[in-house]
């Protein structure tokens, strides 16, 4: 029912109204990402767009009178594309569940769910998803962050390690850290952690693109962890931290693709609105771009439907991310070229969007890594028979 085109058009219209609220903040947030909480944390309307579950969301969006919780991938890609047309960095810098919410929704027990969502409902709270490490990148097999029993007679566990390139890390109040508790692939667990614990530090990193997201390094030195903080502790190890992480990637990659698509569409629209007297060659380029935007939107929607149907299969999610990421880079660079030398100075929004577009390549795995997933999915038959007719 949610994929009914009329419903999605209504949702898109509502998202567009919210996107207008981001226009005045885009360049200010880019210049000084520490302004994020002041610029974006005060308006409770954002919480309705970030996937808060019904029990914690008394004032949901309504489309045709029906409440919408933006908790399905198809809903998220429509909403996020519209917001990203104005400012992807600001959307990513909003308080709310973000990626860690998928893990909590999948494997937290009732008490952990309540601890996480009630905090988000009570006050503007940023969250984080801590996977990538400075020495091991995003390869979970070689994860160095460790969760071990305290060896000095203290009760409980201690968390030690460093995570890097974590969105909103330095401004977050709560989030999920992945750590190794035992050797082997099933030894990685997800820990629900408040950032005011002793031994936990979040340090903002300097970046060129998506600056509003405030990528951060998280340092954990003997951070105390209780058994009650380990997500999925009541479940078998095969349905624990790594299982939830893979499902999160498969569901969030279409959303990252929708951010990239929004930036690509925003750049196209900027040229149409601001360039007078296009030459015929330029009109052809823009028409070609418009076609590819429509094709990419269809791919992103197919990936979102697949993720809602079966989050174990990330084949289409990877396809959508590869395509949308490339288009965001191409579209923003084309737009800059169409305004000639000096465009980056004279059109600071375009300059910002071109810098932001580069970040999607790395977020949630590089295109090389997506190609590996896509190839695997093709070999497994996930894409059906896509061979061209002889
Ligand atoms: C804007 C942004 C937001 C982010 N947010 C978060 C976050 O919230 N939480 C978090 O934990 N992380 C986050 N990250 C980190 C991100 O997930 C990683 O940077 C990304 O997955 C790439 O991993 P890596 O940097 O370890 O590079 P690697 O995976 O080490 O890759 C390095 C290079 O090697 C290539 N490569 C790697 N493996 C292969 C292979 N098998 N075959 C061919 N080529 C290969 C890659 O394409 C790349 O060019 C974020 C990054 C960005 C840019």
């Amino acid at each position: 029912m949610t994929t009914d085109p009329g419903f999605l058009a209504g949702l898109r219209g509502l998202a567009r109204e919210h996107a207008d609220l981001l226009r005045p903040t885009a360049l200010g947030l880019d210049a000084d990402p520490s302004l994020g909480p002041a610029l974006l944390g005060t308006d409770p309307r954002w919480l309705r767009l970030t996937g808060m579950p019904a029990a914690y969301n008394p004032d949901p969006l309504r489309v045709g009178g029906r409440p919408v919780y933006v908790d399905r991938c198809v809903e998220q890609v429509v909403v996020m594309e519209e917001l990203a047309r104005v400012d992807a960095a600001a959307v990513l810098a909003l308080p709310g569940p973000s990626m860690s919410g998928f893990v909590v929704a999948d494997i937290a027990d009732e008490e952990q769910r309540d601890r996480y969502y009630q905090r988000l409902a009570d006050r503007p709270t940023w969250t984080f998803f801590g996977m990538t490490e400075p020495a091991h990148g995003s390869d979970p097999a070689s994860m160095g962050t460790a969760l071990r029993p305290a060896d000095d007679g203290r009760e409980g566990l201690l968390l030690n390690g460093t995570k890097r390139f974590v969105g909103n890390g330095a401004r977050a109040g709560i989030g999920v850290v992945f750590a190794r508790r035992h050797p082997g692939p099933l030894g990685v667990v997800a820990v629900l952690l408040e950032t005011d614990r002793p031994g936990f530090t979040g340090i903002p990193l300097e970046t060129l693109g998506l600056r509003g997201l405030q990528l951060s390094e998280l340092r954990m030195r003997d951070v105390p962890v209780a058994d009650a903080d380990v997500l999925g502790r009541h479940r078998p190890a095969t349905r624990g931290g790594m299982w939830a992480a893979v499902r999160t990637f498969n569901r969030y990659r279409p959303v990252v693709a929708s951010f990239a698509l929004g930036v690509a569409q925003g750049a196209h629209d900027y040229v149409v609105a601001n360039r007078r007297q296009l030459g015929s060659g330029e009109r052809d380029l823009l028409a070609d771009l418009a076609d590819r935007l429509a094709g990419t939107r269809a791919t992103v929607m197919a990936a979102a439907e697949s993720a809602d149907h079966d989050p174990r299969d990330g084949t289409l999610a990877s396809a959508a991310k590869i395509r949308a990421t490339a288009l965001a880079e191409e579209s923003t660079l084309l737009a800059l070229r169409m305004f000639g030398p000096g465009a980056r100075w004279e059109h600071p929004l375009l300059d910002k969007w071109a810098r932001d577009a580069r970040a999607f390549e790395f977020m949630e795995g590089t295109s090389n890594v997506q190609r590996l997933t896509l190839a695997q999915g093709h070999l497994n038959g996930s894409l059906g028979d896509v061979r061209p007719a002889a």
Side-chain angles (χ1 to χ4, degrees):
M1 189 173 178
T2 47
T3 48
D4 159 53
F7 166 81
L8 291 180
L11 184 60
R12 195 175 282 282
L14 271 180
R16 204 163 280 184
E17 286 170 27
H18 282 78
D20 287 336
L21 303 173
L22 296 176
R23 269 176 223 288
T25 63
L27 288 175
L29 182 65
D30 188 61
D32 184 357
S34 74
L35 294 176
L39 292 174
L40 302 162
T42 47
D43 192 335
R45 277 176 291 185
W46 292 121
L47 215 51
R48 301 190 297 179
L49 297 179
T50 50
M52 284 288 277
Y56 303 89
N57 187 355
D59 179 27
L61 283 182
R62 287 186 181 275
V63 175
R66 213 182 81 214
V68 184
Y69 295 96
V70 199
D71 53 356
R72 294 168 197 232
C73 209
V74 286
E75 295 168 0
Q76 287 169 347
V77 297
V78 167
V79 169
M80 295 309 158
E81 184 201 333
E82 285 307 316
L83 299 182
R85 271 170 88 158
V86 174
D87 188 12
V91 190
L92 283 157
L94 290 175
S98 185
M99 278 176 88
S100 57
F102 290 107
V103 182
V104 170
D106 257 355
I107 60 170
D109 63 28
E110 216 169 298
E111 201 182 308
Q112 292 165 333
R113 273 176 68 87
D114 194 56
R115 180 169 133 206
Y116 178 84
Y117 285 118
Q118 194 55 57
R119 179 175 176 140
L120 271 55
D122 286 345
R123 53 192 184 281
T125 300
W126 282 262
T127 59
F128 69 85
F129 177 94
M131 172 71 84
T132 309
E133 298 188 348
H136 306 107
S138 52
D139 172 16
S142 54
M143 184 175 291
T145 301
L147 185 66
R148 295 207 184 90
D151 55 10
D152 57 0
R154 276 187 281 173
E155 291 241 326
L157 304 159
L158 295 177
L159 186 64
N160 278 286
T162 304
K163 300 288 179 180
R164 192 178 283 167
F165 309 127
V166 176
N168 293 314
R171 56 168 77 119
I174 192 167
V176 172
V177 176
F178 291 87
R180 181 167 292 289
R181 195 169 181 183
H182 303 293
L186 298 182
V188 172
V189 292
V191 179
L192 183 62
L193 205 67
E194 287 78 7
T195 55
D196 58 2
R197 300 251 177 121
F200 187 103
T201 326
I203 297 156
L205 302 170
E206 197 55 43
T207 56
L208 276 176
L210 289 185
R211 285 169 48 76
L213 172 60
Q214 201 166 60
L215 285 189
S216 304
E217 179 165 301
L218 306 182
R219 295 180 190 161
M220 291 150 289
R221 304 287 176 264
D222 284 345
V223 177
V225 169
D227 213 36
D229 301 324
V230 178
L231 295 168
R233 70 198 155 119
H234 58 303
R235 299 162 61 91
T238 49
R239 292 285 185 275
M242 274 321 295
W243 181 82
V246 170
R247 287 164 63 94
T248 297
F249 291 138
N250 291 344
R251 280 185 295 197
Y252 200 61
R253 279 177 185 147
V255 181
V256 174
S258 74
F259 284 127
L261 176 61
V263 172
Q265 183 73 57
H268 169 275
D269 298 349
Y270 191 94
V271 176
V272 172
N274 293 289
R275 257 297 310 269
R276 272 173 262 134
Q277 292 179 340
L278 291 162
S280 70
E282 291 174 321
R283 275 199 299 274
D284 288 348
L285 281 174
L286 278 180
D288 177 55
L289 181 56
D291 284 348
R292 281 184 298 144
L293 284 162
T296 303
R297 186 167 298 110
T299 308
V300 172
M301 186 53 74
E305 281 170 352
S306 164
D308 281 335
H309 174 67
D310 182 5
R312 291 170 304 176
D313 185 353
T315 313
L316 279 178
S318 289
K321 187 175 176 272
I322 293 169
R323 181 172 271 225
T325 301
L327 195 58
E329 291 188 30
E330 218 179 302
S331 175
T332 49
L333 293 177
L334 175 69
L336 279 170
R337 267 206 317 280
M338 284 188 150
F339 287 100
R344 283 192 184 254
W345 291 109
E346 287 154 19
H347 299 272
L349 258 182
L350 272 187
D351 169 59
K352 179 187 137 46
W353 290 343
R355 286 185 281 114
D356 288 349
R358 283 293 293 141
F360 300 120
E361 156 72 8
F362 300 98
M363 207 175 165
E364 287 259 333
T366 63
S367 296
N368 277 347
V369 172
Q370 308 307 327
R371 282 185 193 100
L372 290 174
T373 313
L374 186 53
Q376 195 64 49
H378 177 52
L379 293 175
N380 290 344
S382 298
L383 291 171
D385 190 350
V386 290
R387 283 173 300 177

